[in-house]
Structure formats: structure tokens, C-alpha cells
Amino acid sequence: MNPIFSALSTSVFEVMSGLARETGAVNLGQGFPDDPGPIDVRQKAADAVIHGWNQYPPMMGIPELRQAVATHYKHWQGLDLNPETEVMVTSGATEAIAGALMALVTPGDEVVLFEPMYDAYVPLVRRAGGIPKFVTLTPPHFGLTEEALAKAFSPKTKVVLFNNPLNPTATIFSPADLDLLADFCVRHDAIAICDEVWEHVVFDGHRHVPVLGRPDMRERTVKISSAGKIFSLTGWKVGLVMAAPSVMRVLAKAHQYITFTTPPNLQAAVAYGLGKDDGYFEGMRADFQRSRDRFTAGLQDLGFSVLPSAGTYFLNVDIAPLGETDDVDFCRRLVTENGVAAIPVSAFYAESAVKNVVRFCFAKRDATLDAALERLARLRRAA
């Protein structure tokens, strides 16, 4: 057995979702909306199955989707992308991340990671032969500092894996943070793999700023996006990858030997979706922001200490004021005794874990959020 994977425990997401099913709890743990997603996009996928091509599509993605990606990111983020040489479609963003690490990392290379982080990062880095080097971010702001970056970067640094907006903290890195990161990448001749799947799920007037567009980063950045997050269709697993031609040529080789292609009907539907007018994207953000505000107000009314949420489907609660010191134990008791599933944020750390923060998903219907608040009210009364 490969020890990198055989030694891994069951993910906390599976544990908490399993407990939620067993107990009938309100599941605010795993990050998916309970809305079915935009009907017109889903209809395009259905139509493409019946009337479209269902054999192997081109390895790099169908031409209309690659062109739609270039047009979309020119409009929203000011990026000039050649759809023929700088855009690729993968079977989800996680495949894109895995492929990028396999393509760019050789055994012994150091990979800078920012924790808390998506739990797939560390095993994928290690499987690629990389050595993880951690920058630990701390609440409430989770920002970058020159001192922390200086400790993590070295002459052996090959790749930086960077998530913005950041799951699980729901924070957005500032332009100053991005410039600091870019400076370190240039200084150490490192490539930035940028997991930007939450780029459209941002609130309070924010507009996403891609690392690919920062000075001197055009030739050393891999931008990864997710149609599943853009359209609230998390099961579709359609990843969008952007990089300079010299980098993309290597990424494509890894993709060729992992999944090779992605279902053509989903690609056709995503191409249609990316061309939707601004009102769709603005309305989607407004709907999620309203759910965030509703759930935040409800938690605050119950006396919970809620951390800021600038993007993603998530908000976090500091449980230290409740006298709690172990987020894993708290989440287990929360789901089994109070009927609400949440995620302990310590699960997103490899080292120096913060143990007093738990994550809730607010991308739910009002009735779901209200049911969770009613159960959390019983917890607060019991306390």
C-alpha cells in the first residue's frame, strides 16, 4: 500500500456528513448548496446529451468552452488569454491541482502551502514527491506577512499552492498580499498554482483579483477555476485551467494521463453559462450574501462570536467564548446532541492547528438555516 494514502484517516467531511445522516441533523458541514442550480444551464447540459456529441471530446476541452473561458476572464478580470494555447478543461479543480503538481514538482522540490487549507493539498504534494513547507495563517484576518513567507521560502522552493478566496476562512487576500506573494515567487523563481475556485462567490462589492494578472506573474502562474462553484453545481466537476503556453504544454501532458477528457455535454453547458450576462453573477452573489447575512444575524442574536466572511459558502464561529477548547469534540457533540453538523477548522491544518474555530456552510435555503438556528438556540440555552 502507498503510505501517503493508506495512512490517511477518513476525512472529517465524510465523518460529519455520515453523522448528520445517521442522526437526522441539519448538515451545514460539507460545502454544497441545497438549490439545484440555474435551470437554463442544466437544460443546456440535458439538451447536449440528446442532440450533441457524446464521444471523446478534444483533450484540451471543446473549442467553444475554451473560447468562452477566454472571453469570460477578459470581461471579468482583464486577462488576455489565447484559447488555443492557454486554456484547458479538466474533470474538476482537484484534478487540475493534482495534474499541476505532478507536472511541475520533482522529488525533493519544496512546495509552499498556506494553512488552513483544502485537505487534498498535502497528500497530493507528497504524492508528487514534493516537500510541504507551511505558512500558518491565524484568525481573525488570516493575512500574509513577509516574515512568515521568508521562513517558508528557500532556494528549494519550486511551487506555491495558493487558495484565494480562502476556504475555510472565507477571507479574500488584499492586493498588497498578492503583490507580496508575487515578489517572493519572482525572487525564488517559483511557480504559483492558484486555486481560485471561489472567485465569483465574493461579497460586499469585492471583485476578484487574479494572481495571473499581477506584475511579472504571467509566465509563472497556473490559474484554476471551477464551473461547479461558479454555477452552484458542485457535482459537475468541470475545472478550468489557465497558464502561459510554456507551462500549459506540461500541464496538458499530466491531464492526458489522468482523465484525458471531461463530459462534452457539461462542457457545452458551461460554455453557455460563462456567457450569461452580468446580472446572473451579480444576482448569485447577492443571494448568497443575503443567506450569509441572515445566518450571521441569527448566530449573533444567539450570542455566538462570528468571524467575518468575505467570500465562499462559509462563515466561522469562534468557540473560545463558549469555554470550548477542542473544535473536533465540539463538532461531534454538536451533531450528535444538538442536531447540527459543522466542520472543525483544525482539520484544515497540517501543523500548529487553531482549535477554537468551527465552520458552517450558509449556502442553504432559509428553512434549512432557520432549522439550524433553532437547534443552536437550544445549545445556547443549555449553556
Side-chain angles (χ1 to χ4, degrees):
M1 300 292 182
N2 186 300
I4 293 172
F5 294 111
S6 63
L8 292 174
S9 59
T10 303
S11 80
V12 69
F13 309 102
E14 286 297 318
V15 170
M16 291 302 167
S17 291
L19 288 172
R21 289 190 295 270
E22 291 171 16
T23 62
V26 179
N27 189 356
L28 303 186
Q30 199 165 5
F32 57 86
D34 55 9
D35 181 274
I39 182 63
D40 57 340
V41 177
R42 290 185 286 128
Q43 188 63 58
K44 286 290 182 181
D47 291 345
V49 169
I50 302 302
H51 304 294
W53 177 259
N54 285 286
Q55 307 307 327
Y56 292 126
M59 182 191 76
M60 295 294 287
I62 63 173
E64 54 263 48
L65 177 51
R66 294 164 71 193
Q67 180 59 62
V69 168
T71 302
H72 181 87
Y73 287 101
K74 174 65 174 178
H75 173 67
W76 284 100
Q77 298 175 13
L79 299 176
D80 288 309
L81 298 164
N82 184 328
E84 296 293 325
T85 60
E86 297 183 310
V87 177
M88 180 172 70
V89 181
T90 60
S91 294
T94 302
E95 189 230 317
I97 293 165
L101 290 168
M102 291 180 185
L104 300 175
V105 174
T106 56
D109 288 339
E110 292 181 354
V111 179
V112 175
L113 302 168
F114 300 85
E115 57 176 1
M117 61 196 163
Y118 177 38
D119 61 345
Y121 290 172
V122 173
L124 290 175
V125 167
R126 288 181 171 145
R127 190 65 187 91
I131 300 171
K133 306 295 286 187
F134 300 104
V135 176
T136 300
L137 309 176
T138 56
H141 301 298
F142 298 98
L144 304 184
T145 67
E146 180 148 3
E147 179 183 11
L149 293 182
K151 289 180 180 178
F153 279 77
S154 82
K156 295 182 179 180
T157 301
K158 180 67 173 293
V159 163
V160 177
L161 182 47
F162 182 66
N163 178 213
N164 182 39
L166 179 61
N167 173 25
T169 68
T171 51
I172 296 173
F173 290 96
S174 70
D177 283 331
L178 302 184
D179 288 340
L180 180 62
L181 179 65
D183 179 63
F184 270 84
C185 288
V186 172
R187 201 185 309 174
H188 292 270
D189 194 24
I191 293 178
I193 301 174
C194 294
D195 177 353
E196 299 183 356
V197 299
W198 299 103
E199 61 193 349
H200 268 299
V201 190
V202 294
F203 313 126
D204 306 315
H206 283 290
R207 290 289 292 262
H208 180 71
V209 178
V211 174
L212 187 66
R214 307 311 287 171
D216 301 318
M217 292 301 291
R218 187 68 173 80
E219 303 297 319
R220 62 173 69 252
T221 301
V222 178
K223 175 179 169 62
I224 296 172
S225 302
S226 165
K229 299 300 191 300
I230 294 172
F231 300 109
S232 304
L233 295 164
T234 59
W236 277 24
K237 305 298 290 181
V238 178
L240 310 172
V241 184
M242 290 142 272
S246 59
V247 177
M248 183 61 78
R249 281 192 290 271
V250 185
L251 301 180
K253 297 295 184 183
H255 169 60
Q256 179 177 357
Y257 295 109
I258 299 175
T259 64
F260 182 68
T261 58
T262 297
N265 68 305
L266 300 184
Q267 293 194 53
V270 171
Y272 161 81
L274 290 175
K276 286 167 74 73
D277 63 30
D278 291 6
Y280 163 75
F281 299 96
E282 292 163 356
M284 176 267 291
R285 286 195 288 270
D287 287 344
F288 283 129
Q289 182 171 321
R290 188 189 63 81
S291 295
R292 178 204 65 175
D293 293 345
R294 181 188 185 90
F295 195 51
T296 297
L299 289 171
Q300 290 174 336
D301 287 346
L302 295 175
F304 286 97
S305 177
V306 183
L307 300 181
S309 171
T312 76
Y313 297 155
F314 309 112
L315 57 80
N316 294 276
V317 168
D318 183 355
I319 59 174
L322 306 178
E324 300 284 350
T325 58
D326 187 327
D327 59 343
V328 175
D329 179 64
F330 176 84
C331 285
R332 285 187 177 276
R333 286 186 283 112
L334 189 66
V335 68
T336 57
E337 299 175 12
N338 299 99
V340 179
I343 297 294
V345 168
S346 63
F348 297 89
Y349 285 82
E351 300 177 344
S352 308
V354 171
K355 299 284 290 180
N356 63 297
V357 178
V358 299
R359 191 194 78 175
F360 292 96
C361 175
F362 59 76
K364 307 294 181 181
R365 295 185 177 95
D366 289 352
T368 304
L369 297 177
D370 291 346
L373 289 169
E374 183 179 343
R375 298 181 184 197
L376 291 168
R378 294 198 293 268
L379 166 68
R380 295 297 289 136
R381 286 196 293 270

